[in-house]
Amino acid sequence: MPIVALEMVSHKPGGEYDEKMSIYAGLGVLYYIIYNPEFWRRDRHQPFEAYKLIDGQYRQQIGEPYWMPEVKLGLGRSQQVIGGIEQEILVWYDESGNAYPLPDAAAEQMREQLRVERQRAEVQQQRADRLAEYLRSQGIDPDNLP
């Protein structure tokens, strides 16, 4: 059984705060981390939340980075410059709260992942713009849908 489960929230809510949390609790996963850097306001949560399984229930923990003694690692957010772009990422921390450095290969993989995500977001925005334009052409205000 894994000790830590990490959920990264995407543009489409996926039950991270209820269904998945219940599943992981039922499986006995000790730590459940939710990273929601973009949609935390929409979901009415924090961008980084750490939960620990106590008496069969997840209890939200405080502190960041959050130290997990069972795995001798902490996890938290950090502002890093990757590919010349400053951005927030999750990083591992040692017991003293020092971030472990990112290997160059991991940084390159993250750059590529961000490029793909940006392209995907751009395509989605173009689709949304076209749909809104079409709705307006049909006399429907896309900002006031029922």
Side-chain angles (χ1 to χ4, degrees), residues 21-32:
M21 187 179 277
S22 293
I23 291 169
Y24 289 123
L27 292 171
V29 176
L30 184 59
Y31 294 103
Y32 181 62

Side-chain angles (χ1 to χ4, degrees), residues 1-2 4-36 42-43 45 51 53 56-58:
M1 184 58 54
V4 179
L6 172 64
E7 285 287 343
M8 295 184 70
V9 179
S10 64
H11 67 283
K12 182 179 176 190
E16 293 85 4
Y17 297 99
D18 43 52
E19 297 165 29
K20 290 181 180 179
M21 187 179 277
S22 293
I23 291 169
Y24 289 123
L27 292 171
V29 176
L30 184 59
Y31 294 103
Y32 181 62
I33 311 290
I34 302 174
Y35 182 51
N36 189 352
R42 172 199 70 190
D43 298 335
H45 283 272
Y51 295 88
L53 193 62
Q57 296 286 322
Y58 280 119

Side-chain angles (χ1 to χ4, degrees), residues 128-143:
D129 291 345
R130 284 196 310 269
L131 177 59
E133 209 172 298
Y134 173 76
L135 289 171
R136 285 187 191 97
S137 76
Q138 300 299 309
I140 301 168
D141 181 358
D143 297 322

